[in-house]
Structures are given as structure tokens and as C-alpha cells.
Amino acid sequence: MKSGVKNEALLNYNTLTEEMVFKKADQKLAIPKSDMIYIDTVFIADRTFIVLDKQFVEILNDSKWHLYVVYKCKVQEKGQSSGFGGLSETAAINAHSSLITGGAFYELELPNNYKIEPYNFYWLKKNEELKKFVNMNTLKKLYKNKSASFKAYVKKNGVKYDNQEGIVQLIEYMEAN
């Protein structure tokens, strides 16, 4: 906590509700958004989370430049039967990006006819400036003056957006050169 008090609990991050969830007795509770202002750092195993822009982000790099990742997911119905054994996702899709619980008790189990699509985006902070990137193209734009170097590194090392370690190494390279 920002007060210096340490609280221990079994924690997990719920990407659907974008809440830090903890276990208290036999209940699963979410840390209310209103209490996030009191939280300094959350440790889950060897991972470190902080509150940034009113949401929990994981710290991937913390040096001359800082890299944070925000975990999210989309929930969609798998689709309706379209005949010949296929499914149509265009017929009656209901996509849900978040569920507001206000820190209330909940048990969240996904029905069989839904699928989860995880995704993330990053925040890069350097020189006290915070910039968001959501794919390789938006990351490349942050290094537009080093475009050739960016492309060469990505091609040589096969960096993919969904590989966090590769993204960290790419930014490390771009910042050093």
C-alpha cells in the first residue's frame, strides 16, 4: 500500500473485468476501483503490477525506459449453427469487453458457447512521456527516425507483437542504437 502497510492474499488478475481478484475465506472478491488509489505495488509470484491510468499494468522493464503491459480479453459467442457443420459468428454475436462488479462477490464461469480472445497493449514511458502502442506498426511509429534499424531488427530476430520478451529486447535495442 502507499501507506507502507503490506497485505498478503491469494491474488489473480481477471482480464475480463480488468480487476485484481483476491480470495477471502471462500469468496472471490475484486479490489474496487475506488481503492486502487491506495495501492502502490502488487506482486504475484515473480511478476510486478502497479496502477497506471486507473488500471493494473504489469512492469516488463524498469530502467531508463519503462515498459508496461495491460492484459485484456474479449468474450464472444462461438456462433450459431450455419448448416453443414459450420458456425456463423455474424449471426447474433454478443461481444463483451468488460463486466463491472464494483468489488462485489462473484463467481465467473464462462458458458460452453463462449470463447475468450486474450489481447494486450503496451505503455512505453521514457523521458517522463507515456506512449501507448497496440501493434508492431504503432511501436514502429514511436521510432520513426530509426525506421530502417527497426525493420532490420524485427526481420532478423522474428519479433512478434505477442512475444513480450521479444518486444522488450527490440525496445532495448532501439534505445541503445
Side-chain angles (χ1 to χ4, degrees), residues 141-154:
K141 287 178 185 177
L142 299 180
Y143 294 101
K144 59 184 167 197
N145 58 338
K146 300 178 182 182
S147 182
S149 182
F150 184 96
K151 287 179 188 177
Y153 185 92
V154 168

Side-chain angles (χ1 to χ4, degrees), residues 19 21-32 99-108:
E19 295 173 314
V21 179
F22 63 97
K23 199 169 187 182
K24 184 176 182 180
D26 288 337
Q27 293 184 329
K28 292 177 186 168
L29 300 167
I31 296 173
L99 173 68
I100 299 171
T101 64
F105 170 74
Y106 67 93
E107 288 290 335
L108 191 60

Side-chain angles (χ1 to χ4, degrees), residues 25-79:
D26 288 337
Q27 293 184 329
K28 292 177 186 168
L29 300 167
I31 296 173
K33 296 273 186 198
S34 60
D35 289 356
M36 290 172 64
I37 60 172
Y38 305 112
I39 296 172
D40 181 71
T41 310
V42 173
F43 300 99
I44 300 177
D46 60 346
R47 301 166 80 175
T48 305
F49 294 80
I50 61 169
V51 177
L52 178 69
D53 195 34
K54 298 180 184 174
Q55 61 190 344
F56 284 102
V57 298
E58 182 181 5
I59 301 172
L60 298 182
N61 190 71
D62 196 19
S63 61
K64 290 182 181 179
W65 53 274
H66 309 276
L67 184 63
Y68 311 108
V69 62
V70 178
Y71 298 103
K72 295 179 165 275
C73 73
K74 294 177 187 172
V75 177
Q76 290 187 327
E77 282 187 272
K78 288 184 180 175

Side-chain angles (χ1 to χ4, degrees), residues 151-169:
K151 287 179 188 177
Y153 185 92
V154 168
K155 184 175 182 179
K156 179 181 177 187
N157 296 284
V159 179
K160 302 287 184 202
Y161 182 79
D162 60 353
N163 180 339
Q164 290 179 356
E165 187 177 319
I167 294 290
V168 170
Q169 291 170 353

